[in-house]
């Protein structure tokens, strides 16, 4: 028998068997291990062709260091003949040919075939629409000619033991049973009880993505470990520290806490309630606790016990801002990776937030991509949503790690409004069908269970709440008085700065929270004129920089030194600081309540003061959610002014927040399904479910319905999906000596093993830029690649201020870091 190669130093049958084993393990989490195994055995079936074997042999002879046959399907044949060598379609053709005539077999075959033909591109469209019309792109792909897919040749060449395993799986009488059961459960769980409903079709699409994830991660892992065996040691492969050990470490920490005041006692009570609730059955929960109530450790106490109780695989913390990840991950790591256990360093808590480099990565950079193989993961809402709905394979490969997991959403009120229905459906799918538990944490619970059920509402009830008496908890933790200082004419920036300076002189410290980076810079400069020590915080500063500023701020607050901080809204969601007073520019009432949580956080004897001001000049054209929230806050604040007793005389209490959300959600209900312009006005919710517009177009053009069972436009939707309105790109800044040394090392590190650690470290020195910011810096020659051919950039030191972070213009010399780095790399 001739020897068939999958990759350099790896025979094809070894690769197929290795991927099948891993994919089966991943898919077993939802009771579909056989499907994962089958996908693994079939995914590279097309590599049994002579064309592909000639291609890979020539590439190996050329010893091309950039060679990766799995990068995409449009690579150039090194023999000189350009064009595709399709090795994905043949496996799908084999599967459909071997499927029996039953309806269940045919439907399942399409679902699995979607994964096979998509495993280098991201899930393809079933129906595709462009300016030429709508066509059945799935059937077109499966009907490709043999001279393109080499199906017959591969069927003759396939290893016998591989073919036997494929046949055994397909011949099993119970082959379709897990799929049929899940489909029935999905239909029963939908409000319309119909397999053709929007919710049911979206959940089927999520199932396809889950199985796709199981295959992709298995394929990428097996390939990477074969080509670079040393990288395998970085994978934990689920061999984690026992939950019981981590529980003991957290309980020891709780035993060390001192009860200095009533707030400390309330935090302990909150954590005890979470501890007792951990024995509940898996499901969907809310944890509604006022800011400063100790949600982070209390939710961790619940998650660890719950994971042990139900044998779950991992815990994910999904957090809106990298600032909170910096803080919370550090707190959790200090407890669960104690210094006296150095063997656990970086093996328990994984942070995954900043995307270093562009969305399209080289094969070497793909090797370094995290796949969430850790017991406790801190990530962002952006990363979470990209995993479920984003384009390509990088994010999708993580989705299977969301099964059998405890997923804690911190500050859930920051969920982008356009993602509400997509998010709700995904959470219901993970809880109902993937064995996961979800906890929504916030002081300001959005009404995610009260939106349109036909499009997807969370299955919430009063029994979902982990706290027995939320109203009493808010009363007990009331530590501030909120002053509605809106006026006409509105507040100028100098007036806001003067108010803040006056509060520092009167109370000792003040925090100003604004809606834009521009406002932060102007008020910061104005406040400095008075001679006070003023600090600035914004997302224009890298995490390492923000950490250092926050450390200094906390120390000065502890020492009771007069201090003023001007910050964008990044500080108001979970950052552990406590000022004597807070001034908040008018925004959504949820944001105002969160900002108030930075005032008198630990319950001092004197009540704190929060001032709401309406600014005279503010451009929110690109911040629609903030603009609408500001408008609705004006309305409910007017309501409160007319009858405070109606809202228990608490501007940021539960009744006011519920009224605010009713107004806000009603006004935004038409954008919750993620509207897009995809050759027509449509929504991502529709594209990923019933795809009714595409079906109607197809029917008009062909006078018949599409012949496929699933009609979703997966790839079109994924390319249109962005969890935030503008995509960002990360650049590395040389903040301090550590930042400069990091860039030096990245520019000189060619070994994958060395790059792995450096790129993880670089997340602390990365700043995300909007496209216009990136392009402006490019025009000024301010961005350099760390190495030729990479999409990882670092910033010219003249464009980074040690006070305010990234600047689109060269900063003053006194704000620059002294830099002796010689820019030897090519600029962008």
């Amino acid at each position: 028998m001739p020897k068939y190669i999958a990759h350099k130093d790896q025979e094809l049958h070894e690769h197929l068997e290795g991927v099948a084993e891993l994919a089966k393990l991943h898919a077993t989490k939802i009771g579909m291990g056989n499907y994962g195994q089958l996908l693994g055995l079939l995914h590279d079936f097309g590599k049994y062709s002579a064309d592909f074997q000639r291609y890979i042999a020539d590439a190996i002879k050329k010893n091309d260091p950039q060679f990766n046959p799995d990068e995409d399907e449009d690579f150039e044949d090194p023999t000189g003949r350009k064009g595709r060598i399709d090795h994905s379609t043949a496996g799908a053709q084999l599967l459909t040919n071997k499927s029996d005539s039953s309806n269940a077999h045919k439907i399942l075959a399409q679902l699995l075939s979607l994964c096979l033909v998509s495993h280098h591109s991201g899930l393809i469209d079933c129906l595709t629409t462009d300016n030429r019309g709508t066509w059945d792109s799935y059937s077109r792909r499966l009907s490709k000619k043999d001279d393109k897919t080499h199906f017959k040749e591969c069927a003759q060449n396939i290893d016998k033991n591989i073919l036997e395993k494929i046949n055994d799986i397909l011949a099993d009488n119970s082959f379709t049973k897990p799929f049929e059961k899940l489909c029935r459960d999905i239909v029963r769980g939908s409000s319309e009880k119909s397999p053709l409903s929007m919710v049911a079709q979206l959940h089927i699409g999520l199932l396809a993505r889950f199985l796709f994830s199981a295959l992709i991660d298995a394929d990428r892992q097996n390939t990477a470990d074969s080509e670079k065996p040393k990288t395998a040691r970085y994978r934990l492969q689920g061999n984690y520290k026992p939950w019981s050990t981590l529980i003991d470490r957290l309980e020891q920490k709780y035993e060390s806490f001192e009860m200095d005041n009533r707030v400390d006692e309330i935090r302990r009570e909150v954590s005890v309630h979470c501890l007792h609730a951990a024995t509940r059955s898996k499901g969907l929960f809310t944890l509604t606790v006022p800011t400063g109530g100790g949600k982070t450790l209390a939710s961790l106490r619940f998650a660890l016990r719950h994971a042990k109780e139900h044998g779950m695989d991992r815990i994910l913390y999904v957090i809106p801002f990298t600032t909170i990840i910096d803080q919370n991950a550090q707190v959790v790591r200090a407890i669960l990776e104690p210094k006296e256990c150095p063997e656990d360093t970086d093996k328990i808590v994984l942070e995954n937030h900043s995307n270093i480099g562009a969305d399209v990565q080289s094969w070497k950079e793909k090797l370094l991509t995290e796949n969430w193989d850790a017991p406790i993961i801190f990530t962002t809402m952006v990363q979470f949503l990209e995993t479920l709905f984003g384009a390509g394979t990088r994010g999708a490969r993580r989705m299977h790690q969301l099964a059998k997991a405890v997923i804690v959403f911190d500050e859930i009120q920051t969920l982008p409004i356009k993602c509400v229905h997509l998010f709700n459906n995904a959470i219901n799918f993970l809880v109902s069908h993937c064995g996961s538990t979800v906890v929504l944490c916030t002081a300001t619970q959005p009404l995610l269970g009260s939106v349109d059920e036909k499009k997807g509402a969370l299955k919430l009830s009063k029994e979902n709440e982990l706290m027995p008496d939320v109203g009493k908890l808010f009363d007990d933790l009331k530590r501030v008085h909120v002053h509605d200082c809106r006026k006409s004419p509105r507040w100028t920036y100098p007036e806001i700065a003067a108010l803040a300076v006056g509060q520092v002189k009167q109370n000792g410290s003040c925090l100003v929270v604004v809606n834009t980076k521009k406002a932060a810079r102007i008020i910061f400069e104005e406040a400095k004129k008075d001679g006070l020590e003023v600090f600035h915080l914004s997302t224009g500063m890298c995490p390492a920089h923000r950490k250092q500023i926050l450390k200094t701020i906390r120390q000065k607050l502890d020492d009771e030194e007069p201090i003023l901080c001007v910050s964008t809204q990044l500080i108001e969601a979970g950052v552990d600081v406590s000022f004597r007073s807070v001034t908040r520019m008018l925004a959504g009432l949820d944001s105002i309540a969160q900002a108030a949580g930075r005032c008198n956080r630990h319950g001092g004897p004197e009540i704190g003061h929060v001032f709401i001001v309406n600014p005279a000049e503010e451009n929110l054209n690109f911040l629609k959610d903030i603009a609408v929230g500001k408008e609705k806050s004006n309305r409910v604040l007017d309501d409160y002014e007319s009858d405070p007793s109606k809202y228990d005389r608490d501007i940021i209490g539960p009744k006011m927040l519920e009224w605010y959300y009713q107004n806000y959600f009603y006004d935004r209900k038409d954008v919750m399904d993620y509207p897009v312009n995809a050759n027509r006005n449509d929504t991502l919710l529709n594209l990923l479910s019933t795809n009714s517009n595409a079906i109607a177009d197809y029917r008009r053009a062909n006078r018949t319905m599409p012949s496929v069972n699933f009609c979703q436009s997966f790839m079109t939707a994924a390319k249109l999906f962005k969890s935030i309105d503008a995509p960002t790109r990360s650049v590395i800044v040389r903040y301090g000596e550590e930042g400069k040394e990091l860039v030096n090392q990245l520019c000189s590190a060619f070994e994958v093993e060395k790059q792995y650690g450096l790129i993880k470290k670089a997340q602390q020195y990365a700043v995300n830029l909007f496209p216009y910011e990136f392009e402006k810096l490019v025009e000024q020659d301010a961005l350099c690649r760390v190495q030729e051919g990479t999409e990882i950039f670092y910033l010219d030191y003249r464009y980074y201020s040690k006070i305010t972070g990234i600047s689109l213009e060269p900063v003053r010399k006194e704000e620059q870091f002294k830099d002796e780095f010689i820019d030897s790399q090519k600029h962008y």
Side-chain angles (χ1 to χ4, degrees), residues 9-69:
D9 300 326
Q10 187 182 38
E11 291 189 35
L12 182 51
H13 75 90
E14 293 174 337
H15 177 61
L16 296 178
E17 289 170 336
V19 173
E21 183 180 348
L22 275 175
K24 180 177 182 178
L25 183 68
H26 300 332
T28 297
K29 298 172 190 176
I30 60 170
M32 296 188 174
N34 280 355
Y35 304 159
Q37 183 183 13
L38 184 62
L39 290 172
L41 294 170
L42 285 169
H43 79 288
D44 275 354
F45 169 64
K47 288 184 178 181
Y48 280 107
S49 72
D51 256 14
F52 186 88
Q53 291 301 310
R54 277 192 297 271
Y55 162 75
I56 195 169
D58 286 348
I60 291 171
K61 287 177 185 177
K62 290 175 181 286
N63 196 27
D64 181 0
Q66 296 296 320
F67 167 64
N68 177 28

Side-chain angles (χ1 to χ4, degrees), residues 113-259:
S113 295
L114 271 171
C115 301
L116 294 170
V117 299
S118 303
H119 78 274
H120 294 306
S121 61
L123 285 176
I124 67 167
D125 289 340
C126 298
L127 296 184
T128 297
T129 300
D130 63 14
N131 52 15
R132 296 169 293 173
T134 298
W135 69 93
D136 178 353
S137 41
Y138 168 79
S139 296
R140 183 177 295 186
R141 178 68 178 269
L142 267 289
S143 62
K144 283 178 74 171
K145 301 294 185 183
D146 190 69
D147 63 337
K148 297 292 186 183
T149 69
H150 309 285
F151 168 74
K152 292 179 181 177
E153 179 187 7
C154 293
Q156 291 177 343
N157 295 340
I158 187 172
D159 288 277
K160 287 184 178 180
N161 64 316
I162 298 292
L163 184 59
E164 286 175 2
K165 290 180 180 180
I166 293 170
N167 288 335
D168 286 346
I169 294 171
L170 291 172
D172 189 338
N173 290 331
S174 63
F175 175 64
T176 63
K177 297 304 180 187
F179 174 67
E180 292 179 73
K181 180 183 182 304
L182 183 58
C183 288
R184 286 193 297 270
D185 291 344
I186 286 173
V187 171
R188 279 196 292 264
S190 66
S191 61
E192 297 180 85
K193 312 298 182 188
S194 167
L196 300 179
S197 69
M198 184 169 273
V199 167
Q201 287 295 304
L202 185 63
H203 282 210
I204 293 292
L206 288 168
L207 171 61
R209 190 169 176 99
F210 187 97
L211 294 172
F212 177 67
S213 169
L215 171 62
I216 292 300
D217 193 32
D219 186 25
R220 302 302 185 261
Q221 282 190 54
N222 182 267
T223 301
D225 292 349
S226 169
E227 294 184 349
K228 301 286 182 180
K230 290 183 180 180
T231 63
R233 70 172 179 263
Y234 294 110
R235 305 188 196 282
L236 299 178
Q237 296 287 21
N239 295 314
Y240 307 146
K241 210 76 172 179
W243 293 125
S244 55
T245 301
L246 303 185
I247 289 169
D248 288 344
R249 290 175 183 177
L250 179 60
E251 292 305 315
Q252 288 174 17
K253 183 66 176 179
Y254 266 106
E255 288 174 8
S256 71
F257 288 151
E258 296 180 1
M259 299 293 104

Side-chain angles (χ1 to χ4, degrees), residues 89-113:
T89 307
Q93 290 176 329
L94 178 66
L95 175 60
T96 53
N97 287 348
K98 285 184 171 291
S99 295
D100 66 30
S101 58
S102 70
N103 200 37
H105 248 277
K106 289 179 179 178
I107 296 173
L108 179 56
Q110 184 191 345
L111 193 78
L112 298 177
S113 295

Side-chain angles (χ1 to χ4, degrees), residues 16 42 49 72 88 105 130 238 323 365 371 428 441 458 473 495 498 548 639 759:
L16 296 178
L42 285 169
S49 72
D72 57 48
S88 297
H105 248 277
D130 63 14
T323 311
E365 288 168 287
N371 73 332
N428 288 337
C441 295
L458 286 186
L473 189 57
E495 286 176 331
Q548 184 58 50
D639 289 347
I759 288 179

Side-chain angles (χ1 to χ4, degrees), residues 675-806:
V676 293
N677 184 6
N679 299 298
R680 68 168 90 80
N681 290 326
D682 211 331
T683 70
L684 288 197
L685 184 67
N686 186 50
L687 289 170
L688 291 170
S689 57
T690 56
N691 211 4
S692 56
N693 291 338
I695 290 175
D697 289 346
Y698 182 94
R699 188 175 184 179
R700 278 193 296 269
N702 298 280
R703 298 184 180 180
T704 184
M705 292 289 285
S707 61
V708 288
N709 293 289
F710 305 118
C711 296
Q712 291 95 329
S713 296
F714 292 112
M715 183 169 286
T716 297
K719 288 179 177 178
L720 290 168
F721 176 79
K722 291 292 176 186
S723 54
I724 54 177
D725 288 328
T728 58
R729 296 186 69 175
S730 295
V731 298
I732 301 170
V733 299
R734 285 175 279 170
Y735 169 73
E737 293 301 319
E738 298 85 356
K740 286 190 285 186
E741 180 60 24
L742 175 66
V743 172
N744 280 333
Q745 292 176 339
L746 279 168
C747 289
S748 60
F750 291 92
E751 301 87 356
V752 169
E753 292 78 11
K754 190 173 183 181
Q755 285 186 359
Y756 185 94
L758 291 174
I759 288 179
K760 287 183 70 176
K761 187 177 180 181
Q763 293 184 347
Q764 292 298 308
Y765 295 88
V767 176
N768 293 326
L769 300 177
F770 290 110
Y772 79 91
E773 296 173 314
F774 190 90
E775 292 304 322
K776 187 165 184 179
L777 290 170
V778 167
E779 290 170 6
Q780 298 180 81
D781 219 20
L783 296 178
C784 309
R785 287 184 170 90
V786 297
Q787 290 185 22
E788 185 67 29
T790 186
E791 291 298 317
I792 300 175
F793 297 89
Y794 66 90
L795 182 72
D796 187 309
Y797 75 95
R798 292 170 296 178
Y799 291 81
Y800 193 85
S801 164
K802 58 186 176 184
I803 299 173
T804 58
I806 276 189

Side-chain angles (χ1 to χ4, degrees), residues 526-543:
E526 283 289 336
K528 283 202 306 181
K529 294 176 183 177
D530 201 84
L532 287 174
E533 188 165 21
V534 186
F535 292 89
H536 173 279
L537 285 170
S538 79
T539 53
M541 302 157 70
C542 69

Side-chain angles (χ1 to χ4, degrees), residues 365-382:
E365 288 168 287
K366 283 181 182 177
L367 253 166
L368 308 178
T369 300
E370 309 288 355
N371 73 332
W372 289 353
D373 180 17
I376 299 177
I377 297 146
F378 281 82
T379 192
T380 61
M381 181 65 83
V382 170

